[in-house]
């Protein structure tokens, strides 16, 4: 009888340890952010543009985008920005993000990253806020 209890406790301990490890792995994966992010302590300047078009969606609510002039064409020669969505809702490629009359894009930090050609770039991190 004693061996059965030892066996049952061993199985239960294995289950608890497995669930704990999976929980820790899940939390660490959820909090992954791209390297090179630097957020300001306070919200920065208001951006002049009111629309941006995503050209590369990243994980966890980030996307590289460029200005979308007059709602007709993307300004691919203009500055690139990193869009940040605080609630983590993902962006998708070619998505157009437009500020409503009560909202503005604010610079909240900077993002440093290397391009595919190895060129180091620094772009503003912007966020849509009221």
């Amino acid at each position: 009888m004693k061996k059965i209890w030892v066996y049952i406790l061993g199985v239960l301990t294995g289950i608890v340890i497995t669930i704990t490890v999976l929980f820790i792995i899940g939390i660490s994966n959820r909090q992954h952010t791209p390297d090179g992010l630097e957020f300001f302590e306070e919200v920065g300047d208001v951006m002049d543009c009111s629309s941006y078009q995503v050209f590369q969606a990243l994980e966890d609510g980030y996307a590289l985008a460029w200005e979308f002039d007059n709602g007709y064409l993307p300004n691919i020669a203009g500055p690139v920005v990193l869009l940040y969505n605080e609630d983590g809702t993902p962006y998708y490629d070619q998505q157009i993000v437009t500020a409503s009359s009560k909202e503005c894009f604010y610079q909240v930090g900077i993002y440093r990253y290397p391009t595919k050609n190895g060129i180091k770039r620094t772009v503003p991190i912007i966020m849509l806020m009221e």
Side-chain angles (χ1 to χ4, degrees), residues 27-95:
I27 287 175
S28 67
N29 285 341
R30 190 173 15 155
Q31 293 177 348
H32 174 72
T33 58
D35 294 334
L37 291 176
E38 182 180 322
F39 287 96
F40 300 150
E41 289 188 23
E42 294 183 14
V43 175
D45 297 334
V46 174
M47 304 302 284
D48 293 334
C49 187
S50 63
S51 293
Y52 290 90
Q53 182 179 20
V54 174
F55 67 86
Q56 183 177 4
L58 307 173
E59 64 267 348
D60 295 334
Y62 296 96
L64 290 171
W66 44 49
E67 292 180 356
F68 197 70
D69 289 335
N70 302 324
Y72 299 110
L73 295 171
N75 182 4
I76 60 174
V80 173
V81 298
L82 181 76
L83 290 173
Y84 172 61
N85 194 347
E86 194 170 39
D87 64 6
T89 304
Y91 291 107
Y92 55 88
D93 292 346
Q94 307 305 316
Q95 178 181 4

